[in-house]
Amino acid sequence: MTRTVKTDFLIFGGGIAGLWMLNRLRRSGYDAILLEKSSLGSAQTLASQGIIHGGLKYALNGVLSPASSAISGMPERWRQCLKGEDDMDLRQCKVLSQEYFMWSSGGYRSRLKTFLGSKALRGRIDALSTSQYPPFFQGQKLNGSLYKLSDFVVDTPSLIRVLAQAQRDRIFQASPEQWSAKFSENGAVQAILLNEGESKVEIQAQRYVLSAGEGNAQLLAALGRKEPEMQTRPLHMVALKLDHPHPAYLHCIGDSFGMTPRLTITSHPSPDGKWVWYIGGEIAESGVERSQQQQIDECAAQLSSTFDWVDFSKASWFSFPINRAEPRVANLQRPDTAYLHASDNLIVSWPTKLTLTPNLGDSLVSTIQEQGLSPRADIGNENLDSLNDILGQARFGEAQWESAL
């Protein structure tokens, strides 16, 4: 016997995108269920640095690009959510730092890029005097200039937990081997069939939403779709644990011709009282050509030469590759905004950047309003127990470095 579960939305993928949309939909009066194949946030979300940024890294050439314009209002939008005053209640989410900084070296191109960026983002970036330096820089005589941005840093594991806890009874773990799709005559998804031994459940939804990051490619193939196409942007991230009293949150602007910050640093507390520095930026982009040891050696050399007052001699190091997944753009350029594509009853999404997730939620709500989709009236919660019987709740993921450092 096959039991039937009816819902308005069936979401695949339990990272920031899927969890955010699940909450937006439920708060808007729709029924929704989310399936996660491994653990919540385990891929791109927990590998992100948690920076809610306002576009500085896309304006270092002095031009307000579409990307920098789209992102400009995001820090304030997130701050409203953190107060519980927007469409998402994130009051229980931990903020690692309310401030983020940009430091240029004394080199000509570094000074030029920070100058142009500061002019392009006038009103969202402030040059600091020595007396205004954060604790990490106190007592240091810096070459170049230090700026305070409108950006801040959230704790991504905390963010995932807050979003998931609000909808815990709607989130289930299901590997791709546990389900198959049922199609209508015109090729639209009619239902998702879950099989576990003798237990069978058919989930019938008004809309099926793919929000699994890099996993969207596999999901599209399983649903017989070739579009929208996906591209990945490989990174080689570095994490190090060190015993230093003050955390660092900053972009270090280098002297290369590229517009990506040389180093992008966030700090994350470790249970043993030390800090884990998490390093992205240009070093993560170019690092895909280096082995793990080569990448660690390069990062250690850059950090030691940049922060000569920090002792890295006893630090423990870890590096790992991660693919940032996004819709394919001509010449592999970065997408400017969050992406959502609707075709018949299938919706495919990528937030493209953590900071743009509220934009993705807006796009989803706008799309279903344009489609005139109303909550279905024949939904009963009694069969949700069927999903618990064969699937169980999805577990929480952890940051890549948690077990390594």
Side-chain angles (χ1 to χ4, degrees):
M1 177 181 174
T2 300
R3 289 170 287 180
T4 300
V5 174
K6 296 181 180 180
T7 186
D8 293 314
F9 291 86
L10 178 59
I11 302 170
F12 293 86
I16 181 65
L19 291 170
W20 194 281
M21 290 191 288
L22 175 65
N23 279 270
R24 279 295 302 267
L25 290 167
R26 297 274 287 155
R27 289 170 68 94
S28 298
Y30 293 92
D31 191 80
I33 294 169
L34 185 147
L35 302 181
E36 164 57 39
K37 71 174 184 178
S38 54
S39 54
L40 298 173
S42 60
Q44 274 187 244
T45 302
L46 293 177
S48 75
Q49 293 185 274
I51 304 171
I52 307 302
H53 64 86
L56 180 277
K57 63 185 295 185
Y58 305 109
L60 290 178
N61 60 356
V63 177
L64 279 177
S65 67
S68 58
S69 297
I71 290 174
S72 63
M74 287 296 107
E76 181 57 31
R77 178 79 180 276
W78 278 83
R79 284 192 168 94
Q80 292 301 312
C81 292
L82 289 165
K83 296 176 183 177
E85 297 175 356
D86 205 281
D87 46 43
M88 198 66 61
D89 187 352
L90 300 181
R91 284 176 293 177
Q92 300 304 311
C93 179
K94 182 179 179 180
V95 176
L96 293 176
S97 177
Q98 293 285 0
E99 300 175 325
Y100 204 83
F101 302 91
M102 177 181 68
W103 178 28
S104 68
S105 68
Y108 168 74
R109 279 192 292 270
S110 175
R111 295 199 312 271
L112 177 61
K113 284 187 282 188
T114 52
F115 172 78
L116 294 175
S118 66
K119 294 303 180 184
L121 298 179
R122 191 177 305 228
R124 287 184 272 149
I125 178 171
D126 299 310
L128 300 182
S129 64
T130 304
S131 63
Q132 295 174 310
Y133 285 2
F136 179 73
F137 287 105
Q138 285 292 329
Q140 304 304 319
K141 186 175 181 180
L142 303 181
N143 291 323
S145 302
L146 186 65
Y147 295 86
K148 178 181 174 181
L149 310 179
S150 63
D151 308 7
F152 62 97
V153 185
V154 297
D155 181 68
T156 51
S158 171
L159 176 61
I160 289 294
R161 286 185 176 275
V162 168
L163 291 172
Q165 293 291 6
Q167 308 294 339
R168 204 70 184 101
D169 63 331
R170 296 286 167 156
I171 301 171
F172 302 93
Q173 189 160 355
S175 68
E177 294 76 23
Q178 289 178 283
W179 63 266
S180 60
K182 180 179 178 181
F183 300 97
S184 64
E185 291 184 0
N186 65 1
V189 181
Q190 193 172 52
I192 296 297
L193 305 175
L194 295 165
N195 298 279
E196 186 66 29
E198 297 295 319
S199 300
K200 300 182 186 298
V201 175
E202 180 174 293
I203 305 178
Q204 299 176 358
Q206 293 198 74
R207 296 292 184 271
Y208 301 87
V209 182
L210 308 189
S211 61
E214 192 174 5
N216 276 355
Q218 182 182 9
L219 290 168
L220 284 165
L223 299 178
R225 304 297 179 96
K226 295 182 179 180
E227 294 182 344
E229 293 185 85
M230 184 184 77
Q231 67 186 32
T232 58
R233 196 176 304 281
L235 301 170
H236 191 168
M237 306 294 289
V238 178
L240 64 144
K241 183 187 288 188
L242 73 169
D243 191 5
H244 185 77
H246 302 300
Y249 300 96
L250 75 153
H251 296 299
C252 296
I253 309 301
D255 277 322
S256 70
F257 287 101
M259 290 298 122
T260 301
R262 178 168 63 91
L263 298 168
T264 292
I265 305 172
T266 53
S267 300
H268 306 259
S270 176
D272 60 8
K274 297 181 180 180
W275 289 102
V276 173
W277 283 19
Y278 189 31
I279 316 296
E282 192 281 329
I283 194 171
E285 295 181 3
S286 63
V288 298
E289 304 296 331
R290 293 187 281 266
S291 69
Q292 184 178 45
Q293 190 57 55
Q294 288 172 335
Q295 177 71 339
I296 288 172
D297 290 345
E298 175 64 24
C299 190
Q302 289 199 32
L303 289 175
S304 296
S305 64
T306 304
F307 308 109
D308 56 12
W309 64 92
V310 178
D311 181 9
F312 295 100
S313 63
K314 296 181 181 179
S316 52
W317 300 80
F318 176 65
S319 76
F320 62 95
I322 185 71
N323 284 332
R324 179 181 297 154
E326 55 199 27
R328 181 175 292 278
V329 178
N331 299 319
L332 294 180
Q333 295 296 307
R334 288 184 175 92
D336 292 327
T337 62
Y339 177 89
L340 187 140
H341 174 80
S343 176
D344 51 65
N345 64 350
L346 183 67
I347 296 173
V348 185
S349 66
W350 286 278
T352 70
K353 304 169 186 68
L354 176 72
T355 192
L356 282 171
T357 308
N359 177 256
L360 180 65
D362 294 343
S363 295
L364 176 63
V365 172
S366 176
T367 296
I368 60 180
Q369 287 176 344
E370 290 174 2
Q371 294 177 344
L373 189 71
S374 300
R376 59 193 302 170
D378 59 345
I379 293 175
N381 291 333
E382 63 275 3
N383 283 330
L384 283 179
D385 290 338
S386 303
L387 296 180
N388 272 315
D389 291 343
I390 68 173
L391 298 179
Q393 292 187 336
R395 63 186 183 275
F396 291 100
E398 64 177 21
Q400 289 265 14
W401 62 79
E402 287 291 340
S403 57
L405 295 177

